[in-house]
Short mmCIF file of all heavy atoms in Angstrom, two decimals:
data_model
loop_
_atom_site.label_atom_id
_atom_site.label_comp_id
_atom_site.label_asym_id
_atom_site.label_seq_id
_atom_site.Cartn_x
_atom_site.Cartn_y
_atom_site.Cartn_z
N ILE A 1 -1.11 0.87 -17.89
CA ILE A 1 -2.48 1.26 -17.56
C ILE A 1 -3.00 0.45 -16.38
O ILE A 1 -3.65 0.98 -15.47
CB ILE A 1 -3.39 1.11 -18.79
CG1 ILE A 1 -3.01 2.15 -19.85
CG2 ILE A 1 -4.86 1.28 -18.40
CD1 ILE A 1 -3.71 1.97 -21.18
N ILE A 2 -2.71 -0.87 -16.36
CA ILE A 2 -3.14 -1.70 -15.23
C ILE A 2 -2.48 -1.23 -13.94
O ILE A 2 -3.10 -1.25 -12.87
CB ILE A 2 -2.82 -3.19 -15.50
CG1 ILE A 2 -3.67 -3.72 -16.66
CG2 ILE A 2 -3.07 -4.03 -14.25
CD1 ILE A 2 -3.33 -5.14 -17.07
N SER A 3 -1.23 -0.76 -14.04
CA SER A 3 -0.55 -0.27 -12.84
C SER A 3 -1.29 0.93 -12.24
O SER A 3 -1.37 1.07 -11.02
CB SER A 3 0.90 0.11 -13.16
OG SER A 3 0.99 1.31 -13.90
N THR A 4 -1.85 1.80 -13.10
CA THR A 4 -2.61 2.94 -12.58
C THR A 4 -3.91 2.48 -11.93
O THR A 4 -4.41 3.12 -11.00
CB THR A 4 -2.92 3.96 -13.69
OG1 THR A 4 -3.79 3.38 -14.67
CG2 THR A 4 -1.64 4.43 -14.37
N LEU A 5 -4.46 1.36 -12.40
CA LEU A 5 -5.65 0.80 -11.76
C LEU A 5 -5.33 0.32 -10.34
O LEU A 5 -6.14 0.48 -9.42
CB LEU A 5 -6.20 -0.36 -12.59
CG LEU A 5 -7.08 0.01 -13.77
CD1 LEU A 5 -7.35 -1.21 -14.65
CD2 LEU A 5 -8.41 0.59 -13.29
N PHE A 6 -4.14 -0.25 -10.17
CA PHE A 6 -3.72 -0.68 -8.83
C PHE A 6 -3.67 0.51 -7.88
O PHE A 6 -4.05 0.41 -6.71
CB PHE A 6 -2.36 -1.38 -8.88
CG PHE A 6 -2.45 -2.86 -9.19
CD1 PHE A 6 -1.83 -3.38 -10.31
CD2 PHE A 6 -3.14 -3.71 -8.35
CE1 PHE A 6 -1.91 -4.74 -10.61
CE2 PHE A 6 -3.22 -5.07 -8.63
CZ PHE A 6 -2.61 -5.59 -9.77
N TYR A 7 -3.15 1.66 -8.38
CA TYR A 7 -3.13 2.86 -7.54
C TYR A 7 -4.54 3.23 -7.09
O TYR A 7 -4.76 3.65 -5.94
CB TYR A 7 -2.53 4.04 -8.32
CG TYR A 7 -1.05 3.93 -8.60
CD1 TYR A 7 -0.54 4.25 -9.85
CD2 TYR A 7 -0.16 3.53 -7.60
CE1 TYR A 7 0.82 4.17 -10.11
CE2 TYR A 7 1.20 3.44 -7.85
CZ TYR A 7 1.68 3.76 -9.12
OH TYR A 7 3.02 3.67 -9.38
N SER A 8 -5.51 3.09 -8.00
CA SER A 8 -6.89 3.44 -7.67
C SER A 8 -7.46 2.48 -6.63
O SER A 8 -8.14 2.90 -5.68
CB SER A 8 -7.75 3.41 -8.93
OG SER A 8 -7.26 4.31 -9.91
N PHE A 9 -7.20 1.18 -6.80
CA PHE A 9 -7.66 0.21 -5.80
C PHE A 9 -7.01 0.48 -4.45
O PHE A 9 -7.65 0.33 -3.40
CB PHE A 9 -7.34 -1.22 -6.26
CG PHE A 9 -8.19 -1.69 -7.41
CD1 PHE A 9 -7.60 -2.22 -8.55
CD2 PHE A 9 -9.57 -1.60 -7.37
CE1 PHE A 9 -8.37 -2.65 -9.62
CE2 PHE A 9 -10.35 -2.03 -8.42
CZ PHE A 9 -9.75 -2.56 -9.55
N ALA A 10 -5.72 0.87 -4.46
CA ALA A 10 -5.02 1.17 -3.21
C ALA A 10 -5.67 2.34 -2.50
O ALA A 10 -5.79 2.35 -1.27
CB ALA A 10 -3.55 1.47 -3.50
N ALA A 11 -6.08 3.37 -3.28
CA ALA A 11 -6.71 4.54 -2.67
C ALA A 11 -8.02 4.17 -1.99
O ALA A 11 -8.33 4.66 -0.90
CB ALA A 11 -6.95 5.60 -3.74
N ILE A 12 -8.79 3.29 -2.64
CA ILE A 12 -10.07 2.86 -2.05
C ILE A 12 -9.82 2.01 -0.81
O ILE A 12 -10.42 2.24 0.25
CB ILE A 12 -10.91 2.08 -3.08
CG1 ILE A 12 -11.23 2.95 -4.29
CG2 ILE A 12 -12.19 1.56 -2.43
CD1 ILE A 12 -11.97 4.21 -3.98
N TYR A 13 -8.93 1.03 -0.92
CA TYR A 13 -8.64 0.18 0.24
C TYR A 13 -8.01 0.99 1.36
O TYR A 13 -8.26 0.74 2.54
CB TYR A 13 -7.70 -0.96 -0.17
CG TYR A 13 -7.46 -1.96 0.93
CD1 TYR A 13 -8.33 -3.02 1.14
CD2 TYR A 13 -6.36 -1.83 1.78
CE1 TYR A 13 -8.11 -3.93 2.17
CE2 TYR A 13 -6.14 -2.73 2.81
CZ TYR A 13 -7.01 -3.78 3.00
OH TYR A 13 -6.80 -4.67 4.03
N GLY A 14 -7.19 1.97 0.97
CA GLY A 14 -6.49 2.77 1.96
C GLY A 14 -7.40 3.60 2.83
O GLY A 14 -6.97 4.13 3.88
N ARG A 15 -8.67 3.73 2.46
CA ARG A 15 -9.62 4.46 3.30
C ARG A 15 -9.75 3.80 4.67
O ARG A 15 -10.11 4.46 5.66
CB ARG A 15 -10.99 4.52 2.61
CG ARG A 15 -10.98 5.40 1.37
CD ARG A 15 -12.23 5.26 0.56
NE ARG A 15 -13.44 5.53 1.33
CZ ARG A 15 -14.59 5.91 0.78
NH1 ARG A 15 -14.67 6.08 -0.52
NH2 ARG A 15 -15.64 6.12 1.52
N ARG A 16 -9.45 2.50 4.74
CA ARG A 16 -9.50 1.82 6.03
C ARG A 16 -8.46 2.37 6.99
O ARG A 16 -8.62 2.29 8.21
CB ARG A 16 -9.27 0.32 5.84
CG ARG A 16 -10.29 -0.37 4.94
CD ARG A 16 -10.08 -1.86 4.91
NE ARG A 16 -11.01 -2.53 4.00
CZ ARG A 16 -11.13 -3.85 3.89
NH1 ARG A 16 -10.39 -4.64 4.65
NH2 ARG A 16 -11.99 -4.37 3.03
N LEU A 17 -7.38 2.92 6.42
CA LEU A 17 -6.33 3.45 7.28
C LEU A 17 -6.79 4.68 8.05
O LEU A 17 -6.22 5.02 9.09
CB LEU A 17 -5.10 3.80 6.43
CG LEU A 17 -4.41 2.62 5.74
CD1 LEU A 17 -3.38 3.10 4.75
CD2 LEU A 17 -3.77 1.70 6.78
N SER A 18 -7.81 5.38 7.52
CA SER A 18 -8.32 6.56 8.22
C SER A 18 -8.99 6.18 9.53
O SER A 18 -9.21 7.04 10.39
CB SER A 18 -9.30 7.32 7.32
OG SER A 18 -10.44 6.52 7.04
N GLN A 19 -9.32 4.90 9.67
CA GLN A 19 -9.96 4.43 10.90
C GLN A 19 -8.94 4.01 11.95
O GLN A 19 -9.30 3.58 13.03
CB GLN A 19 -10.89 3.26 10.57
CG GLN A 19 -11.97 3.59 9.55
CD GLN A 19 -12.72 2.37 9.06
OE1 GLN A 19 -12.55 1.27 9.59
NE2 GLN A 19 -13.57 2.55 8.06
N THR A 20 -7.66 4.13 11.62
CA THR A 20 -6.60 3.79 12.56
C THR A 20 -5.97 5.06 13.11
O THR A 20 -6.35 6.17 12.73
CB THR A 20 -5.50 2.95 11.87
OG1 THR A 20 -4.77 3.79 10.95
CG2 THR A 20 -6.12 1.79 11.09
N GLN A 21 -5.02 4.90 14.00
CA GLN A 21 -4.32 6.03 14.61
C GLN A 21 -3.04 6.39 13.85
O GLN A 21 -2.31 7.29 14.26
CB GLN A 21 -3.96 5.70 16.07
CG GLN A 21 -5.17 5.43 16.95
CD GLN A 21 -6.09 6.63 17.06
OE1 GLN A 21 -5.64 7.75 17.25
NE2 GLN A 21 -7.39 6.40 16.91
N MET A 22 -2.79 5.72 12.72
CA MET A 22 -1.55 5.96 11.98
C MET A 22 -1.60 7.29 11.25
O MET A 22 -2.59 7.62 10.59
CB MET A 22 -1.29 4.82 11.00
CG MET A 22 -0.90 3.51 11.65
SD MET A 22 -0.46 2.21 10.46
CE MET A 22 -2.09 1.72 9.88
N THR A 23 -0.52 8.06 11.34
CA THR A 23 -0.40 9.33 10.63
C THR A 23 0.02 9.08 9.18
O THR A 23 0.50 7.98 8.84
CB THR A 23 0.65 10.22 11.29
OG1 THR A 23 1.94 9.61 11.14
CG2 THR A 23 0.35 10.42 12.77
N PRO A 24 -0.13 10.07 8.28
CA PRO A 24 0.29 9.89 6.89
C PRO A 24 1.75 9.47 6.76
O PRO A 24 2.09 8.64 5.91
CB PRO A 24 0.04 11.27 6.27
CG PRO A 24 -1.10 11.82 7.06
CD PRO A 24 -0.86 11.35 8.46
N MET A 25 2.65 10.04 7.59
CA MET A 25 4.06 9.70 7.49
C MET A 25 4.30 8.26 7.93
O MET A 25 5.12 7.55 7.34
CB MET A 25 4.89 10.65 8.34
CG MET A 25 6.39 10.54 8.09
SD MET A 25 6.84 10.98 6.40
CE MET A 25 8.24 9.90 6.14
N VAL A 26 3.59 7.81 8.94
CA VAL A 26 3.71 6.41 9.39
C VAL A 26 3.20 5.48 8.30
O VAL A 26 3.82 4.44 8.01
CB VAL A 26 2.93 6.20 10.70
CG1 VAL A 26 2.82 4.71 11.03
CG2 VAL A 26 3.61 6.93 11.85
N VAL A 27 2.08 5.83 7.67
CA VAL A 27 1.53 5.01 6.59
C VAL A 27 2.52 4.93 5.43
O VAL A 27 2.77 3.85 4.88
CB VAL A 27 0.19 5.57 6.10
CG1 VAL A 27 -0.26 4.85 4.83
CG2 VAL A 27 -0.87 5.43 7.18
N ALA A 28 3.09 6.07 5.04
CA ALA A 28 4.04 6.09 3.92
C ALA A 28 5.25 5.21 4.21
O ALA A 28 5.69 4.42 3.36
CB ALA A 28 4.47 7.52 3.62
N THR A 29 5.80 5.34 5.42
CA THR A 29 6.98 4.55 5.79
C THR A 29 6.62 3.07 5.89
O THR A 29 7.36 2.20 5.38
CB THR A 29 7.55 5.05 7.12
OG1 THR A 29 7.81 6.45 7.03
CG2 THR A 29 8.84 4.31 7.47
N GLY A 30 5.50 2.77 6.53
CA GLY A 30 5.10 1.38 6.72
C GLY A 30 4.78 0.69 5.42
O GLY A 30 5.19 -0.46 5.20
N GLN A 31 4.04 1.36 4.52
CA GLN A 31 3.69 0.71 3.26
C GLN A 31 4.92 0.50 2.39
O GLN A 31 5.03 -0.52 1.70
CB GLN A 31 2.66 1.55 2.49
CG GLN A 31 3.20 2.82 1.88
CD GLN A 31 2.31 3.36 0.77
OE1 GLN A 31 1.19 2.93 0.59
NE2 GLN A 31 2.83 4.32 0.02
N THR A 32 5.88 1.43 2.43
CA THR A 32 7.10 1.26 1.65
C THR A 32 7.93 0.09 2.18
O THR A 32 8.48 -0.70 1.41
CB THR A 32 7.94 2.56 1.68
OG1 THR A 32 7.13 3.65 1.24
CG2 THR A 32 9.16 2.44 0.76
N ALA A 33 8.00 -0.03 3.51
CA ALA A 33 8.73 -1.14 4.11
C ALA A 33 8.09 -2.48 3.77
O ALA A 33 8.78 -3.45 3.42
CB ALA A 33 8.79 -0.96 5.63
N MET A 34 6.77 -2.55 3.83
CA MET A 34 6.08 -3.80 3.52
C MET A 34 6.17 -4.13 2.03
O MET A 34 6.25 -5.30 1.65
CB MET A 34 4.62 -3.72 3.97
CG MET A 34 4.45 -3.60 5.48
SD MET A 34 5.33 -4.89 6.40
CE MET A 34 4.24 -6.29 6.12
N ALA A 35 6.16 -3.11 1.19
CA ALA A 35 6.31 -3.34 -0.24
C ALA A 35 7.71 -3.89 -0.55
O ALA A 35 7.86 -4.78 -1.39
CB ALA A 35 6.08 -2.05 -1.02
N ALA A 36 8.73 -3.36 0.13
CA ALA A 36 10.09 -3.88 -0.05
C ALA A 36 10.17 -5.34 0.41
O ALA A 36 10.80 -6.18 -0.25
CB ALA A 36 11.08 -3.03 0.74
N LEU A 37 9.50 -5.65 1.53
CA LEU A 37 9.47 -7.03 2.02
C LEU A 37 8.74 -7.94 1.03
O LEU A 37 9.15 -9.08 0.80
CB LEU A 37 8.77 -7.06 3.38
CG LEU A 37 8.77 -8.39 4.13
CD1 LEU A 37 10.18 -8.83 4.45
CD2 LEU A 37 7.94 -8.27 5.41
N PHE A 38 7.67 -7.43 0.43
CA PHE A 38 6.92 -8.17 -0.58
C PHE A 38 7.81 -8.49 -1.78
O PHE A 38 7.72 -9.58 -2.37
CB PHE A 38 5.73 -7.31 -1.02
CG PHE A 38 4.87 -7.94 -2.09
CD1 PHE A 38 3.73 -8.65 -1.76
CD2 PHE A 38 5.19 -7.81 -3.45
CE1 PHE A 38 2.92 -9.21 -2.75
CE2 PHE A 38 4.39 -8.37 -4.43
CZ PHE A 38 3.26 -9.08 -4.08
N MET A 39 8.69 -7.54 -2.15
CA MET A 39 9.53 -7.72 -3.34
C MET A 39 10.70 -8.66 -3.11
O MET A 39 11.23 -9.22 -4.08
CB MET A 39 10.09 -6.36 -3.79
CG MET A 39 9.07 -5.44 -4.44
SD MET A 39 8.28 -6.17 -5.91
CE MET A 39 9.72 -6.57 -6.92
N LEU A 40 11.12 -8.85 -1.86
CA LEU A 40 12.31 -9.66 -1.60
C LEU A 40 12.20 -11.08 -2.15
O LEU A 40 13.09 -11.52 -2.91
CB LEU A 40 12.61 -9.67 -0.09
CG LEU A 40 13.88 -10.42 0.33
CD1 LEU A 40 15.10 -9.84 -0.36
CD2 LEU A 40 14.04 -10.38 1.84
N PRO A 41 11.16 -11.86 -1.84
CA PRO A 41 11.08 -13.21 -2.42
C PRO A 41 10.88 -13.19 -3.93
O PRO A 41 11.33 -14.11 -4.62
CB PRO A 41 9.87 -13.83 -1.72
CG PRO A 41 9.07 -12.68 -1.22
CD PRO A 41 10.05 -11.61 -0.90
N VAL A 42 10.22 -12.15 -4.46
CA VAL A 42 10.04 -12.04 -5.91
C VAL A 42 11.40 -11.94 -6.60
O VAL A 42 11.67 -12.63 -7.59
CB VAL A 42 9.17 -10.81 -6.26
CG1 VAL A 42 9.10 -10.63 -7.78
CG2 VAL A 42 7.77 -10.96 -5.68
N VAL A 43 12.26 -11.10 -6.05
CA VAL A 43 13.60 -10.91 -6.62
C VAL A 43 14.42 -12.19 -6.50
O VAL A 43 15.09 -12.61 -7.46
CB VAL A 43 14.32 -9.73 -5.94
CG1 VAL A 43 15.79 -9.72 -6.30
CG2 VAL A 43 13.66 -8.41 -6.32
N LEU A 44 14.39 -12.82 -5.34
CA LEU A 44 15.19 -14.02 -5.11
C LEU A 44 14.73 -15.19 -5.98
O LEU A 44 15.55 -15.98 -6.47
CB LEU A 44 15.14 -14.42 -3.63
CG LEU A 44 15.77 -13.43 -2.64
CD1 LEU A 44 15.59 -13.91 -1.22
CD2 LEU A 44 17.26 -13.23 -2.95
#
């Protein structure tokens, strides 16, 4: 349930992305890449 709350917070924070020139596909690729980078030290 807390994980679904994170999705909601992401949607609200993500509104800032509408003020940039990034397209939805760029956002999807970029956020996935940064999330993978975030996970690397966690795994190690």
Side-chain angles (χ1 to χ4, degrees):
I1 292 172
I2 293 175
S3 73
T4 65
L5 278 170
F6 275 120
Y7 291 136
S8 302
F9 289 128
I12 299 302
Y13 185 86
R15 291 169 56 157
R16 300 186 183 187
L17 295 170
S18 64
Q19 302 170 8
T20 70
Q21 299 298 315
M22 290 185 283
T23 66
M25 191 62 212
V26 169
V27 171
T29 305
Q31 72 160 13
T32 305
M34 295 307 284
L37 186 63
F38 179 95
M39 287 301 304
L40 183 58
V42 175
V43 168
L44 295 177

